[in-house]
Amino acid sequence: MRFLVRLVVNALALWLTTLIVSGVHVTPFGDGGPVASVLTFLLVAFVFGLVNAVIGTVIRIVAFPIYILTLGLVSFIVNAILLLIVAGISDAFGFGLRVDSFGWGIVGAFVLAVCAWLIGLFARPVLRRQRA
């Protein structure tokens, strides 16, 4: 249940990011109807979660000294790189996330993190009820 809630939170944050940031787009697969759009956002959120868990962890471990030197500001660049990796993976399949440039990747990663955090504030009570 926790996985599904986090997946939906990330998909909603990604959808809000595409509405706010003009350089980040999601292209739905198939006919582009509402069901295809929702499934595309869920699939891109799933891929982003996988990339963040696997590649993001490796990058964060390797770049730990840089995190300390920059007081964590390098995380914007790391998250932008992860967003661009997800865009490349989804582009290879012919649908999904598209980021116009690295600058838009940094802005998109920041907005995505803020939106996921805000939505997560509302999802926490749901997750706490599941534990009890």
Side-chain angles (χ1 to χ4, degrees), residues 17 21 75-76 79-80 83 104-116:
T17 301
V21 180
S75 65
F76 294 125
N79 288 337
L83 202 61
W104 284 118
I106 291 174
V107 174
F110 177 74
V111 172
L112 182 67
V114 169
C115 289

